[in-house]
Amino acid sequence: MKKIRLSWLVGPLSVLLLGIALWRHGNQVLELAPDQEGWALLLFGLGATVAAQWLNAIAWWALLQWLRVPLPLPQVLLLFIRTNVYKYLPGGIWHQLGRLRWLRSQAVSGRRALLAVLLDPLLMMIAALCLVPLGGLQWGLGLLAPFALLLLRPCWLNPLLERLLRSKRAMLGPAEECSSDAPLLGSPWQPLLLELPFLLLRFAGFGCCIATFSSISSLGLGVWLAAFCLAWVVGLVVPGAPGGIGVFELVLLARLRGLIPEAELLAVLVSYRLISVGAELLAAAGAQIDQRLAIRSQ
């Protein structure tokens, strides 16, 4: 019980520390107001981040196909996009619960539905770690990160998923069972490959923020990308931080501190968080409108 309570403090504490950094450099950040070209870059970054949401949804549909859950692509896309914004609610699992309940309503077994929900962030983390070596050795991290691919080997993947299934079985509810099934025999390579362009599109949105308030050439594209992916992974795995808010930003601050002016980095981080949340809200609103129009046309 103490662990659960402590995990709930991670998000607020991260936001508090980020707020302190912004308070210290507030005047310098405000001086970095974007010009006309900067606003155009931020708008392009918003569009790239919206496109990334749909690509992430396609990757999840490919994962469902790999799990032998043949559901129609349009329904899966709309459901994924609509529930994506739920991750910002306290607890950070409501997007997963929404998808899980929808899969169960489609007569998908409890085990396969839970696997579909749990494998999605795992594949995103592995894809992000595969991009970390583009930033160089990084004290050996660039050499170690690609070994995350070993987790997709059935001999590693099945025991890991069994542990995750046991820990998350409560998500199914007290009345439902997570029935045993045959172990997975292959590896979800196709969904993983789709996660790579998803992350690159997300980074494109982040890169627009860098170009607006700083300079990509100041560190090099590979260093920026590696730092972004590392922060993305930590934001996914740290509990108690809905949507990675605060944690993602603090990891980037710690990783790049001293390499570029802190005010510039804070401006990049704040603008990217606004773009990220705004893009997810726009995509969710579009999916909701599309669903209502489809219902009315029937």
Side-chain angles (χ1 to χ4, degrees), residues 46-70:
L46 179 67
T49 310
V50 170
Q53 305 310 307
W54 291 98
L55 189 52
N56 193 15
I58 293 174
W60 193 57
W61 175 78
L63 176 61
L64 290 174
Q65 302 302 303
W66 181 76
L67 289 170
R68 298 180 183 177
V69 181

Side-chain angles (χ1 to χ4, degrees), residues 6 21 27 31 48 59 66 71 83-84 126 129 141 149 183 208 227-229 232 256 263 286-287:
L6 286 174
N27 291 332
E31 291 175 359
W66 181 76
L71 293 172
T83 56
N84 209 34
I126 293 174
L129 289 172
L141 184 61
L149 286 169
C208 289
F228 174 85
C229 290
W232 178 271
L256 303 178

Side-chain angles (χ1 to χ4, degrees), residues 143-171:
L143 292 175
L144 294 175
F147 282 96
L149 286 169
L150 293 175
L151 292 176
L152 294 184
R153 290 177 57 87
C155 61
W156 292 71
L157 184 60
N158 282 299
L160 174 62
L161 289 177
E162 288 302 325
R163 290 193 63 180
L164 289 173
L165 285 170
R166 287 195 296 270
S167 64
K168 300 294 184 179
R169 193 167 299 179
M171 292 174 65

Side-chain angles (χ1 to χ4, degrees), residues 1-23:
M1 195 68 180
K2 291 183 180 179
K3 291 182 179 179
I4 296 177
R5 289 176 180 174
L6 286 174
S7 69
W8 279 80
L9 295 176
V10 173
L13 182 60
S14 300
V15 173
L16 176 61
L17 292 175
L18 183 63
I20 293 173
L22 283 170
W23 179 75

